[in-house]
Amino acid sequence: MKNKPILITSVDIYRFSIPMEPFTIATGTLDHAQNVFIRVHTNAGLYGVGECSAFPMIVGETQDTCLAMAREFARLWKGQNALDIPARMQQLHSFTAGNTTIKSAFDMALYDIAAKHADQPLYKFLGGEPREVESDITIGIGKPADMAAKAVEFKNNGANILKVKLGKDAPEDVERIKQIRDAVGPGLKIRVDANQGWTFDDAVFALQAIGQYDIEFCEQPMRTWYDDKLPELMTLSPVKIMADESVYNHHDARKQIVSKSCHYINIKMAKSGGILEAKQIHDTAAAYDIPCMMGGMLESRIALSAKLHFVYASPNVKFYDMDTCMLGHLADPCIGGVTYDGYKLNISDKIGIGADADEEFLAGCERWVV
């Protein structure tokens, strides 16, 4: 019975907008999370949940493009076997290039179904086990003094790892880091994310200047069209480099690693198109001894739960940028799922992803059924 196909019967698609305090990075400001939530129903009485968070200035998808593609994907999958995850994802890739954000929600729903069918929490289904996961907490771009005050506030709340958004103006970025390090002292880890905001010369200047402030690494210093300049930057920077937007899939990971363009790689479901490809990125990086980080966009605790399960099954994920729900979400539309103990993340042994959407929240969301 276990190997009998489970057929997809219908998909519920929701415009899953989560109000937020405004949050600024080098590429823009957002005042709500542009998310999509889906439920993939089957003839076995099981359904799987998936969520994605559109970040148009980075991945090029909006909530509306995700909703439009979700309806197309749902039509493709009707009557198909939910347990054959590689075949289902290949169907989507054959239908459209890119669109990795909405693909990730569909991938997530399949893994939820598969784990529920196996009567296991997702991390066990993926062959993992629980471990301590402590997230950083992110400081958006602002005036240096305001960012330093926010850093002190986070330190007083028990944060041990700060992630600082930079990339607007290289000399001011250096001042931002100087004031933050002066304010919090030597005890806290500081990592920075330029979100592709610097030119090559800016990156060299900023990274050499902030090197003295004990910076753990810098994510994505330049736009991806300067990827050919990364090997040179690696030789000039005292700060280690993490590839983010330069790595969407495991082929990108291989190219970045072989060309000596990064020390680390940031895995995000919205870039990889979900767990299936994220695992391949992880395994490619592990083969070269390049540690990874689990990152994200502005997902709720639903997708965050799937990410924690993935981390438990991915020993080469050594860094955790899993604070999205703490970044000013003004509503929590999730039932069950990840819990925070300070900045540490935990999840129960409920089968599947162990998280679902709050029906009351869904009642206020625009909905399509395919």
Side-chain angles (χ1 to χ4, degrees), residues 2 6 44-49 108-126 302 305-306 309 335-338 347-356:
K2 282 283 186 188
I6 288 184
L46 298 172
Y47 70 80
V49 303
M108 194 179 296
L110 291 188
Y111 275 97
D112 192 26
I113 290 167
K116 284 173 176 170
H117 179 61
D119 203 29
Q120 291 180 316
L122 179 56
Y123 75 84
K124 280 192 182 163
F125 178 78
L126 294 172
I302 298 169
S305 298
H309 285 291
I335 300 292
V338 161
I347 198 159
S348 75
D349 267 357
K350 196 173 169 190
I351 66 163
I353 288 170
D356 207 336

Side-chain angles (χ1 to χ4, degrees), residues 21 115 139 232 284 343:
E21 291 168 9
I139 300 173
E232 186 182 354
T284 300
Y343 294 90

Side-chain angles (χ1 to χ4, degrees), residues 85-102:
I85 298 175
R88 292 294 70 72
M89 294 311 295
Q90 188 54 52
Q91 254 187 305
L92 304 190
H93 300 322
S94 299
F95 177 70
T96 182
N99 296 103
T100 51
T101 300
I102 188 60

Side-chain angles (χ1 to χ4, degrees), residues 35 38 79 101 117 141 155 202 265-266 272 277-278 286 312 334 370:
N35 298 5
I38 65 167
T101 300
H117 179 61
I141 295 179
K155 179 185 177 181
D202 283 343
I265 288 171
N266 187 358
S272 71
E277 182 64 33
Y312 283 173
C334 176
V370 177

Side-chain angles (χ1 to χ4, degrees), residues 34-66:
Q34 298 188 24
N35 298 5
V36 172
F37 174 73
I38 65 167
R39 284 178 176 151
V40 175
H41 296 274
T42 69
N43 66 352
L46 298 172
Y47 70 80
V49 303
E51 182 201 12
C52 65
S53 182
F55 218 88
M57 56 277 260
I58 290 179
V59 183
E61 293 169 83
T62 66
Q63 189 180 50
D64 283 325
T65 67
C66 286

Side-chain angles (χ1 to χ4, degrees), residues 176-320:
R176 290 177 168 110
I177 293 302
K178 178 187 184 301
Q179 290 198 27
I180 289 170
R181 179 54 86 193
D182 286 349
V184 299
L188 270 66
K189 286 184 179 172
I190 297 178
R191 51 186 65 155
V192 303
D193 183 1
N195 277 114
Q196 308 186 79
W198 294 326
T199 64
F200 176 77
D201 290 340
D202 283 343
V204 172
F205 165 78
L207 292 169
Q208 289 184 346
I210 67 176
Q212 64 183 301
Y213 299 116
D214 187 22
I215 304 303
E216 191 176 22
F217 55 75
C218 173
E219 272 186 75
Q220 200 67 29
M222 304 179 293
R223 295 299 295 250
T224 56
W225 52 65
Y226 294 127
D227 278 357
D228 61 319
K229 303 283 279 180
L230 281 168
E232 186 182 354
L233 185 63
M234 291 270 286
T235 66
L236 295 171
S237 172
V239 177
K240 291 191 170 178
I241 305 297
M242 176 178 282
D244 183 3
E245 288 88 354
S246 294
V247 175
Y248 272 64
N249 57 51
H250 70 285
H251 298 295
D252 295 335
R254 172 178 46 79
K255 289 192 287 186
Q256 290 291 302
I257 294 164
V258 169
S259 61
K260 294 190 166 41
S261 297
C262 64
H263 298 94
Y264 307 127
I265 288 171
N266 187 358
I267 297 174
K268 291 176 178 167
M269 300 300 174
K271 292 185 302 161
S272 71
I275 291 168
L276 187 67
E277 182 64 33
K279 178 82 169 69
Q280 290 188 269
I281 297 169
H282 169 273
D283 293 352
T284 300
Y288 289 96
D289 203 22
I290 296 287
C292 295
M293 178 159 83
M294 186 77 245
M297 299 306 184
L298 294 169
E299 296 92 343
S300 79
R301 289 187 306 107
I302 298 169
L304 182 67
S305 298
K307 289 192 282 185
L308 185 59
H309 285 291
F310 175 77
V311 165
Y312 283 173
S314 306
N316 192 47
V317 174
K318 311 282 193 188
F319 310 105
Y320 318 105

